[in-house]
């Protein structure tokens, strides 16, 4: 057990320390009861039954029996209370941890999500949290009681007959040796299994999300072989774990019977003057069974504990990456946004300066101006829009919004004033109305206006439930063009001050595109608009075109002026029309 992992477990349990203290005290009462029961039987056998008497003074065998039954009933009631209480505590811990982990993933920046696969995060939030739940709901409910029982029973055995107790404890070093060796091997094996399981789940998630591509390229057989490889690796890892897990209870059973044999031999041969009373032997054999019962339970729970500890480490390996968290609390709250955007000598790289995507880029977009970013793939167009939203932090230079460095602006305030329509919009498995609102306080009239402005009313009204129609996962029940229309309505409903359209009309037919273009012209008449387009015919009417090549601005101007110069833009434009045939 690593100290760091243990400290993480204690951190999770810390808010519930009062509950743990109370349940520990109750567990102590259960332990005392478990110790008293064999003693009562020993007294009944040796002091009453073996002597053929029913009563000694005011104490009868019936009284001893009633006392025994009372302890059993009280112990079960207390055990029910402690188990239920700890289970509730465990559920609270898991509830809190799962929400904490999800909140963390939502508040991390795009860099974090670039380097961490969605499949891995899914495994952490689901499987790994579930692995931890057993630790707090099952193990902690018994671990305190078991530890108390072990020490209490060992103490009472030494109290009754320290000589026989010491003889019985000969097996303890063997228990320790086997436990340490096997648990060390198990921990390493669980770690290997977790890595393989994460890779398997990541593969499964990607294969399910990419089912259409798999069918398009007819690679089902190859994917099946890949799946069999992952599952076989996981199978082999679990088989090794199973062998080790099977050894533990088997070894404990052998050692328990060795302890019983020691008692019988010692009593039979009067070793160290040990007597041979039937009740005494029965009590000692019962105590050694009681002693091994919690030890066996603890060892059998090693699998759950080891899996939980590995899962805790993996979860905290995510939670400890606080450098990727975005600050949504501090910064200037924007009140009236005019929409002036300035790039001043901006340098940016996704890998900390090794490969510059933008190189000393400077330009100004005036309030209400519409501009288009043009260039070949990889020239830096989408990167510029990502930087305006502060999805990434630049290495050199400044980006200003209305004269204020965007690093000083509150992130929520900044992004709420920017509306983005991507080439491949994401549609949630919710109603169209919910996809447009996105938790904003909008009424049906405002949503309907946004739908009409986006020219999506004909498509949505044709659906059985209209705007209440629930989409399939990832919006797969709609065509690419229909998803784009919903995305346009989503942005129009939020009415941002700055529009960014990243090849947003690529999947819409010409007629619908013309309608949306009219809506964009009306809505963005007095607002800053940025267009990224490969279909150069869609940007001929913008106020200015910024032409990029390998992260640098090579030309700026309107459509007509750039064509007249016969430069880079002119070549791109002519090549575009030649490609149309």
């Amino acid at each position: 057990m690593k100290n760091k992992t243990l400290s993480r477990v204690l951190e999770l349990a810390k808010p519930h320390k009062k509950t743990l203290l109370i349940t520990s005290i109750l567990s102590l009462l259960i332990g005392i009861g478990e110790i008293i029961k064999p003693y009562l039987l020993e007294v009944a056998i040796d002091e009453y039954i073996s002597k053929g008497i029913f009563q000694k003074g005011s104490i009868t065998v019936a009284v001893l029996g009633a006392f025994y039954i009372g302890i059993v009933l009280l112990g079960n009631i207390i055990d029910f209370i402690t188990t239920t209480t700890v289970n509730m505590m465990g559920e609270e811990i898991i509830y809190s941890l799962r929400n904490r982990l999800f909140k963390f993933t939502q508040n991390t920046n795009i860099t974090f999500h670039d380097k961490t696969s969605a499949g891995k995060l899914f495994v952490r939030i689901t499987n790994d949290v579930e692995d931890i739940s057993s630790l707090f709901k099952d193990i902690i409910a018994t671990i305190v009681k078991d530890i108390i029982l072990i020490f209490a029973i060992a103490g009472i055995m030494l109290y009754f007959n320290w000589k026989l107790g010491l003889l019985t404890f000969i097996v303890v070093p063997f228990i320790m040796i086997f436990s340490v060796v096997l648990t060390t091997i198990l921990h390493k094996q669980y770690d290997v299994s977790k890595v393989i399981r994460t890779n398997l789940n990541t593969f499964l998630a990607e294969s399910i999300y990419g089912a259409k591509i798999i069918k398009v390229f007819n690679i089902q057989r190859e994917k099946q072989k890949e799946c069999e490889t992952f599952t076989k690796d996981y199978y082999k890892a679990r088989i090794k774990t199973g062998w080790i897990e099977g050894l533990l209870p088997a070894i404990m059973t052998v050692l328990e019977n060795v302890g019983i044999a020691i008692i019988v031999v010692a009593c039979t041969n009067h070793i160290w003057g040990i007597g041979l009373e039937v009740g005494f032997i029965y009590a000692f054999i019962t105590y050694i069974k009681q002693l091994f019962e919690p030890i066996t339970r603890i060892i059998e729970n090693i699998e759950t504990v080891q899996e939980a500890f590995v899962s805790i480490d993996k979860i905290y390996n995510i939670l400890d990456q606080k450098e990727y968290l975005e600050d949504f609390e501090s910064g200037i709250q924007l009140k009236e946004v005019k929409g002036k955007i300035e790039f001043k000598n901006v340098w940016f790289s996704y890998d900390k300066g090794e490969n510059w995507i933008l190189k000393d880029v400077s330009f100004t977009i005036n309030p209400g101006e519409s501009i288009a970013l043009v260039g070949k793939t990889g020239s830096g167009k989408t990167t510029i829009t990502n930087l305006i939203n502060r999805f990434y932090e630049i290495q050199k230079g400044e980006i200003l919004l209305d004269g204020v460095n965007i690093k000083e602006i509150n992130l929520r305030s900044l992004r709420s004033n920017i509306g983005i329509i991507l080439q491949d919009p994401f549609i949630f498995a919710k109603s169209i109305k919910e996809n447009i609102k996105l938790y904003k306080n909008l009424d049906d009239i405002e949503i309907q206006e946004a739908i009409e402005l986006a020219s999506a009313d004909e498509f949505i009204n044709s659906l059985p439930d209209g705007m209440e129609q629930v989409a399939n996962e990832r919006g797969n029940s709609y065509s690419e063009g229909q998803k784009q229309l919903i995305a346009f309505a989503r942005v129009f409903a939020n009415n941002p001050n700055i529009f960014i359209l990243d090849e947003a009309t690529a999947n819409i037919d010409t007629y619908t595109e013309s309608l949306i273009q009219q809506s964009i012209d009306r809505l963005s008449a007095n607002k800053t608009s940025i267009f990224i387009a490969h279909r150069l015919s869609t940007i001929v009417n913008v106020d200015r075109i910024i032409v990029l090549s390998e992260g640098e601005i090579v030309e700026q101007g309107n459509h007509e002026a750039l064509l007249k110069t016969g430069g880079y833009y002119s070549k791109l434009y002519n090549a575009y029309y030649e490609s149309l045939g």
Side-chain angles (χ1 to χ4, degrees), residues 56-248:
K56 288 181 69 175
S58 61
I59 306 298
T60 65
V61 174
V63 171
L64 292 174
F67 195 31
Y68 186 93
I69 293 172
I71 291 174
V72 171
L73 291 174
L74 183 61
N76 279 283
I77 292 170
I78 295 175
D79 189 49
F80 171 77
I81 294 171
T82 56
T83 302
T84 304
T85 302
V86 174
N87 279 341
M88 291 173 63
M89 179 198 73
E91 291 291 353
E92 289 178 16
I93 290 173
I94 299 312
Y95 165 82
S96 175
L97 181 61
R98 180 173 278 123
N99 283 304
R100 177 183 170 189
L101 187 56
F102 180 78
K103 181 180 179 181
F104 182 90
T105 62
Q106 294 300 297
N107 290 339
T108 48
N109 57 27
I110 299 297
T111 302
F112 172 83
H113 290 279
D114 287 343
K115 77 180 191 69
T116 310
S117 70
K120 180 183 287 186
L121 293 177
F122 181 79
V123 171
R124 297 292 171 266
I125 296 172
T126 54
N127 296 38
D128 286 328
V129 171
E130 284 302 319
D131 288 343
I132 295 172
S133 70
S134 297
L135 173 65
F136 289 102
K137 292 194 297 182
D138 301 328
I139 309 304
I140 289 183
T142 60
I143 189 69
V144 175
K145 179 177 69 176
D146 288 340
I147 291 173
I148 291 172
L149 276 175
I150 290 169
F151 284 100
I153 292 169
I156 200 69
M157 289 172 71
L158 292 173
Y159 173 77
F160 273 154
N161 192 305
W162 66 270
K163 295 177 181 179
L164 188 55
L166 290 177
L167 282 174
T168 307
F169 296 158
I170 290 174
V171 298
V172 172
F174 296 98
I175 295 172
M176 299 299 295
I177 292 170
F178 284 116
S179 297
V180 170
V181 172
L182 292 179
T183 53
T184 301
I185 297 172
L186 265 178
H187 184 78
K188 293 179 180 178
Q189 192 58 36
Y190 285 135
D191 214 353
V192 172
S193 297
K194 288 280 186 180
V195 172
I196 296 172
R197 189 181 72 176
T198 298
N199 293 336
L200 171 61
N201 287 328
T202 301
F203 164 79
L204 293 174
E206 290 177 347
S207 299
I208 292 169
Y209 287 135
K212 187 180 292 184
I213 295 296
I214 292 171
K215 292 182 183 297
V216 167
F217 288 93
N218 197 29
I219 54 173
Q220 291 93 331
R221 290 180 180 176
E222 288 77 6
K223 279 293 178 182
Q224 180 61 38
K225 289 180 180 178
E226 195 173 354
C227 179
E228 289 173 1
T229 300
F230 278 116
T231 53
K232 189 174 183 179
D233 289 343
Y234 188 56
Y235 166 77
K236 288 180 178 177
R238 293 301 300 169
I239 286 295
K240 291 180 181 177
T241 302
W243 276 101
I244 301 170
E245 291 169 358
L247 280 174
L248 286 171

Side-chain angles (χ1 to χ4, degrees), residues 21-34:
L21 178 61
I22 293 170
T23 53
S24 297
I25 294 171
L26 293 175
S27 295
L28 178 60
L29 295 177
I30 295 174
I32 292 172
E34 290 298 312

Side-chain angles (χ1 to χ4, degrees), residues 503-520:
E503 194 61 42
T505 58
N507 297 309
I508 299 175
D509 62 84
T510 305
Y511 172 71
T512 307
E513 181 183 345
S514 66
L515 294 178
I516 289 179
Q517 190 61 52
Q518 293 175 22
S519 300
I520 292 172

Side-chain angles (χ1 to χ4, degrees), residues 301-355:
N301 284 331
I302 285 175
E303 175 187 5
T304 304
V305 173
Q306 295 281 19
E307 284 192 350
F309 281 5
V310 172
S311 292
I312 286 172
D313 284 339
K314 290 190 177 299
I315 287 173
Y316 271 85
N317 286 341
I318 297 291
L319 294 175
D320 287 344
Q321 299 183 58
K322 294 182 173 58
E323 68 273 17
Y324 294 107
L325 284 174
E326 293 184 310
D327 179 8
F328 291 101
E329 304 305 322
S330 63
I332 300 169
Q333 295 287 341
L334 297 174
K335 295 180 179 179
E336 184 179 350
V337 176
K338 296 178 180 178
K340 182 179 181 180
I341 299 172
E342 298 174 82
F343 272 57
K344 292 185 175 181
N345 308 108
V346 172
W347 290 74
F348 174 74
S349 169
Y350 290 104
D351 49 14
K352 299 181 180 180
E354 293 184 12
N355 298 290

